[in-house]
Amino acid sequence: YKKKNYKLLDTVNVNYNSPFHPEWYDLVKLHKTILENKIINVLEFGVGYSTIVMADALRINEKKYKKYVNKNFRKNDPFKVYSVDSDKKYINLNFKKLKKLKLANYVSLSFSETYLGTFNNRICSYYNKIPNVLPDLIYLDAPGQFDVSGSMNGINFRSIERMPISGDLLLMEYMLLPGCKIIVDGRKTNARFLINNFQR
């Protein structure tokens, strides 16, 4: 996208002990999406490289639009990524990296456990506590199936054969403003579940 953005990505190669390597093209596209759509707040499910990239994009948006947003929008804390994760280790590692890159002020990281529940009698997962924010963009990349506690009729998510299916956005649907964008990262089954159950 821009050379300086690739330079930023080069700095995030911290050892997260993560099973997944960053998808650079996806991260650059995510950065570009936030800039082009003038995003003010992001709700992210799952901390990671995306958190850093989105925080940098919001830093740029703040420089361009801070005065306008403060004058025309009712926002408690604009230009921030509100990220929730069920793994304290990755939250702490990510926060250290954000501080090093001077991006910590653009992120609010929170921990929450997850549990198995249902939506329309279909099994899915939920976070116990979601950041209370009205986002322009939602980035869904968690939880993983092994993080979800509980079982129903002998069925649980904690198997390599299972697909992660989060239902949190369905609970929030009517609280989201028209125009809110949702990006689902690599969770096709979860995306189908959401599409089949959204009513708006």
Side-chain angles (χ1 to χ4, degrees):
Y1 183 55
K2 289 185 178 179
K3 287 184 178 179
K4 70 174 185 176
N5 293 336
Y6 282 107
K7 188 175 181 181
L8 168 76
L9 295 177
D10 287 338
T11 67
V12 301
N13 273 321
V14 64
N15 181 12
Y16 277 62
N17 296 318
S18 172
F20 299 107
H21 294 288
E23 297 285 346
W24 300 121
Y25 174 80
D26 289 346
L27 292 173
V28 171
K29 188 175 180 182
L30 183 59
H31 194 274
K32 183 178 179 181
T33 297
I34 290 174
L35 297 183
E36 289 184 344
N37 291 278
K38 302 176 183 177
I39 298 298
I40 299 171
N41 284 126
V42 176
L43 174 59
E44 179 186 36
F45 293 88
V47 303
Y49 297 105
S50 56
T51 313
I52 295 168
V53 168
M54 291 190 292
D56 180 72
L58 289 177
R59 174 170 57 180
I60 295 170
N61 281 354
E62 182 186 47
K63 291 178 182 177
K64 292 181 179 179
Y65 311 118
K66 182 178 180 178
K67 289 183 180 179
Y68 182 84
V69 168
N70 288 342
K71 185 177 179 181
N72 295 282
F73 292 91
R74 292 184 299 169
K75 286 286 187 181
N76 289 326
D77 202 2
F79 307 106
K80 185 167 280 191
V81 180
Y82 294 84
S83 186
V84 60
D85 201 290
S86 56
D87 193 320
K88 291 180 180 179
K89 177 180 70 173
Y90 291 122
I91 292 173
N92 293 332
L93 286 171
N94 205 281
F95 184 70
K96 290 177 183 177
K97 195 64 178 177
L98 288 160
K99 284 184 69 176
K100 185 177 179 182
L101 293 169
K102 299 181 180 178
L103 291 171
N105 290 338
Y106 297 91
V107 177
S108 173
L109 304 178
S110 58
F111 167 79
S112 174
E113 295 178 344
T114 57
Y115 65 94
L116 185 145
T118 62
F119 188 90
N120 284 342
N121 295 317
R122 305 297 198 271
I123 292 175
C124 60
S125 68
Y126 295 103
Y127 279 92
N128 279 323
K129 189 174 181 181
I130 299 170
N132 189 26
V133 60
L134 190 60
D136 321 87
L137 174 68
I138 298 172
Y139 187 74
L140 178 61
D141 192 26
Q145 68 263 34
F146 293 101
D147 295 335
V148 180
S149 64
S151 297
M152 182 170 292
N153 298 344
I155 298 172
N156 64 62
F157 279 109
R158 297 180 303 279
S159 168
I160 196 170
E161 299 176 20
R162 298 284 187 213
M163 300 291 182
I165 303 174
S166 168
D168 296 292
L169 300 187
L170 299 172
L171 298 180
M172 302 166 57
E173 178 180 2
Y174 282 95
M175 300 183 76
L176 301 175
L177 293 176
C180 175
K181 297 185 179 300
I182 299 172
I183 298 175
V184 182
D185 186 2
R187 300 163 66 100
K188 291 182 181 179
T189 301
N190 201 159
R192 293 188 191 103
F193 177 75
L194 293 174
I195 289 168
N196 289 336
N197 285 283
F198 277 138
Q199 297 179 24
R200 289 166 64 189

